[in-house]
Amino acid sequence: MTVSAPNPTRLTGSISGFLQVASVLGLLLLLLKAVQFYLQRQWLLKAFQQFPSPPFHWFFGHKQFEGDQEIPLFMKAVESFPSAFPRWVWGNQAYFIVYDPDYIKLILGRSGYGLLLLNGQSWFQHRRMLTPAFHYDILKPYVKTMADSVRLMLDKWEQLAAQDTSIEVFQHISLMTLDTIMKCAFSHKGSVQVDRNYNTYIQAIVDLNNLFYSRVKNIFHQNDTIYSLSSNDRLANRACQLAHDHTDGVIKMRKDQLQDEGELEKVKKKRRLDFLDILLFARTENGDSLSDRDIRAEVDTFMFAGHDTTASGLSWIFYALATHPEHQQRCREEVQSLLGDGSFITWDHLDQMPYTTMCIKEAMRLYPPAPGVVRELSKPVTFPDGRSLPKGISVMLSIYALHHNPKVWPNPEVCTRFSPTQSFIPALLRRSKKLHWETICYE
C-alpha cells in the first residue's frame, strides 16, 4: 500500500483560493452595507425635508449636542425651530425630536411601539388586567408603609448629618423607593434598606443607565455587531442578568409564599390584590395564565420604573430645595402645621398641603425624571400645521424641552401659573431641625 504525501502546491493554491473567495464576499458585504447606509440616509433626508434643523455633519450628525454645552445648545435649537426638528445621531441614524403640545398629543393618540410599552392588543390586555392594583382602596393603606420607609432613610441621614458632612442622596433614595415598591407591590416582608444584598440590583440599574447613554453618544456603538465586541456590551449583559436575577427571585419568593395555605387564604380574603398577586393569578381571555416571560416583563418594568424614576424625581426635588432654603422653610412650616412634631403623614393629609403640592409639581416640570420618551411610528402622521412624517420614523417626545419651551412658557425657568412670591421649590416631608437640608448635595 502506498501513501501519497500532501502536495504543498495544491495546499497553497487551496488557501489562496479560499482567501480570494473570502475577500470577494467581504467586499460584497461591505458594498451591501454601504448601499443600505445610503438608502436609509436618503429615506430619512426625504422624510425630514419639511423640517429644518441646526447644521450637522453628514457622518457625525449633531455633535454640538454633546458635552457640557448639550442642554444650552439644544434649548437654543428649540427656540429656533418651533414644534420639532430632526436630530441626527450619526450617518443614517436620527430621531425626530418633538416638544410642541399639539404634536405630542397627536403622537400619543396614535398606535406605536415604544419604551416600556407592549404592542397593540397585548398592551391593552395587560393594562386592563393591572388597573385594579392601583385603585384608591389599595393605595390608601400604603401611605403608612411609604412613611415607614422614608423614616428609616431619614434616620440614616440624621446620623450622617451629625458627622457634619454632605450627603450624596441618590443611592439612599433609590434604596428607599425600592424598599417601598417591594413592600407595596410585591408583598416583600423584609427591608431593602437594611439588607445590603439589594445594593447589587441598585448598582446594576445605575450601570445600565450609564451604559445606555454611553452607547447613544458613541457613533461606532450604534452598530449591534461592533457593540457586541466591546467591553461595554459585556458589562451591559452582566447588569441585565443581575437585574433579571433580582426580579426572578422576587417572583419565585412570592410563588413559594403562595404555596402556604395560610398565606393563600389571606390573599383570597383581600378585596383587591397587590400588583404581583394580580399577575400570578391573572388569566387571559383564553383562560390561560400569563407566561413567566410576560410576568417578568411586567415586574421588570414596574420594579425599574417604580423606583428609579421616583428616586430621580425626589433627588432633583431635594436639589432644588437645598438651593432655595426660604421656600424649603415655607414647605416645612405647612407640613409641620398638619403633623405637629411626631405624627405620620396620612392619606387625608395629602390634599391639605397646597403649597407643598404646587412646589412638587413645579419641580417635576423643571426637572422631569424621565426627560424623553421614544416611540416608532406604526402609521404615517400629519401634524396640525400640514407637515407629515412616514411610518417607521423614530420619534422622541422631549418632556424636558416641552416643559422649557418658550412657546408654551413665557419664562420657562420661572413658574407662570402662580405668582413669583409663591415660587416653585418643593419639599416632601417634615423632619427634625437637626437635619439641615442645606447640607445635602446631589451630584
Side-chain angles (χ1 to χ4, degrees):
M1 177 183 296
T2 59
V3 179
S4 60
N7 188 325
T9 304
R10 182 181 299 174
L11 182 60
T12 302
S14 298
I15 295 176
S16 177
F18 173 78
L19 291 176
Q20 289 178 0
V21 172
S23 298
V24 172
L25 291 177
L27 288 173
L28 288 175
L29 180 61
L30 186 61
L31 180 60
L32 176 62
K33 290 294 183 181
V35 171
Q36 289 177 338
F37 177 94
Y38 176 79
L39 292 178
Q40 173 70 9
R41 180 176 173 80
Q42 291 301 117
W43 179 76
L44 286 172
L45 287 170
K46 182 178 180 180
F48 293 146
Q49 63 184 352
Q50 302 176 66
F51 301 93
S53 73
F56 59 94
H57 189 272
W58 74 270
F59 185 77
F60 294 107
H62 286 108
K63 290 289 288 183
Q64 64 267 41
F65 295 146
E66 296 181 10
D68 295 339
Q69 295 301 309
E70 175 181 1
I71 292 180
L73 290 176
F74 177 75
M75 293 310 301
K76 185 177 180 180
V78 169
E79 294 181 20
S80 303
F81 303 97
S83 305
F85 72 88
R87 175 176 178 176
W88 290 85
V89 181
W90 75 285
N92 64 349
Q93 298 292 322
Y95 290 101
F96 186 69
I97 311 293
V98 178
Y99 38 84
D100 179 89
D102 293 330
Y103 272 47
I104 289 179
K105 181 179 179 180
L106 187 61
I107 295 292
L108 291 178
R110 304 174 67 86
S111 61
Y113 310 116
L115 188 65
L116 301 183
L117 294 177
L118 293 173
N119 300 333
Q121 191 60 29
S122 297
W123 183 87
F124 287 107
Q125 288 177 353
H126 284 214
R127 292 287 79 76
R128 184 170 61 246
M129 193 182 300
L130 294 171
T131 296
F134 303 96
H135 191 278
Y136 279 169
D137 289 345
I138 282 185
L139 297 180
K140 286 181 181 179
Y142 286 151
V143 173
K144 184 180 184 307
T145 302
M146 296 176 189
D148 289 339
S149 294
V150 171
R151 179 167 290 247
L152 179 58
M153 179 188 71
L154 294 181
D155 286 340
K156 291 163 64 178
W157 284 4
E158 207 155 36
Q159 294 175 8
L160 293 171
Q163 301 172 13
D164 193 26
T165 182
S166 61
I167 304 171
E168 199 289 304
V169 302
F170 185 72
Q171 185 84 0
H172 294 272
I173 295 179
S174 293
L175 284 171
M176 181 273 292
T177 55
L178 181 60
D179 189 29
T180 300
I181 198 167
M182 287 285 288
K183 291 175 179 177
C184 296
F186 301 105
S187 304
H188 186 65
K189 305 298 182 184
S191 175
V192 168
Q193 298 183 79
V194 175
D195 190 345
R196 292 183 177 272
N197 291 328
Y198 289 93
N199 289 334
T200 303
Y201 174 74
I202 294 292
Q203 188 58 51
I205 297 302
V206 172
D207 290 343
L208 286 172
N209 277 326
N210 292 336
L211 289 166
F212 170 77
Y213 287 109
S214 175
R215 182 178 184 183
V216 167
K217 294 181 179 181
N218 190 315
I219 292 176
F220 300 103
H221 284 177
Q222 307 306 309
N223 181 276
D224 291 339
T225 302
I226 295 177
Y227 188 69
S228 66
L229 301 174
S230 69
S231 59
N232 279 7
D233 180 67
R234 292 189 290 274
L235 292 173
N237 287 333
R238 182 175 180 274
C240 279
Q241 188 59 53
L242 289 172
H244 287 323
D245 288 346
H246 172 75
T247 52
D248 287 342
V250 170
I251 295 169
K252 183 180 184 302
M253 183 182 297
R254 187 54 181 164
K255 282 184 175 179
D256 292 343
Q257 290 173 351
L258 293 175
Q259 297 299 315
D260 181 84
E261 292 185 5
E263 183 68 20
L264 191 58
E265 285 300 316
K266 289 181 183 178
V267 173
K268 289 180 178 179
K269 290 179 180 179
K270 284 186 176 182
R271 182 181 176 186
R272 297 183 184 277
L273 299 179
D274 293 342
F275 172 79
L276 182 54
D277 289 342
I278 286 178
L279 289 174
L280 294 175
F281 288 108
R283 292 290 182 272
T284 65
E285 294 178 354
N286 297 328
D288 300 325
S289 57
L290 291 179
S291 67
D292 290 343
R293 182 177 179 180
D294 282 341
I295 293 175
R296 189 172 78 170
E298 293 291 352
V299 172
D300 274 336
T301 297
F302 279 85
M303 185 84 70
F304 168 71
H307 96 272
D308 187 70
T309 54
T310 307
S312 177
L314 289 174
S315 296
W316 280 110
I317 286 172
F318 288 136
Y319 166 81
L321 175 65
T323 56
H324 293 75
E326 67 278 16
H327 302 300
Q328 166 201 157
Q329 182 59 30
R330 180 168 176 178
C331 289
R332 179 184 285 115
E333 290 172 356
E334 181 180 68
V335 177
Q336 284 180 331
S337 68
L338 289 174
L339 304 183
D341 293 327
S343 301
F344 274 116
I345 194 168
T346 67
W347 181 272
D348 293 334
H349 288 134
L350 297 181
D351 61 355
Q352 299 178 45
M353 298 182 290
Y355 183 75
T356 302
T357 301
M358 174 189 71
C359 291
I360 291 171
K361 290 180 177 180
E362 182 62 6
M364 295 284 282
R365 178 186 74 82
L366 290 169
Y367 307 108
V373 178
V374 178
R375 304 190 74 179
E376 180 180 311
L377 293 181
S378 59
K379 298 178 181 179
V381 59
T382 299
F383 296 108
D385 57 12
R387 295 184 291 180
S388 60
L389 286 175
K391 170 185 175 181
I393 293 293
S394 293
V395 178
M396 176 177 285
L397 309 178
S398 180
I399 310 303
Y400 181 87
L402 169 67
H403 289 163
H404 292 76
N405 187 350
K407 179 180 176 181
V408 180
W409 307 86
N411 189 346
E413 300 303 323
V414 176
C415 181
T416 56
R417 184 176 177 183
F418 306 96
S419 68
T421 56
Q422 288 180 302
S423 191
F424 48 82
I425 305 301
L428 281 184
L429 297 173
R430 181 268 325 142
R431 189 55 176 169
S432 166
K433 291 183 179 180
K434 294 179 182 178
L435 183 57
H436 299 287
W437 293 111
E438 292 89 345
T439 66
I440 296 176
C441 68
Y442 175 69
E443 294 294 332

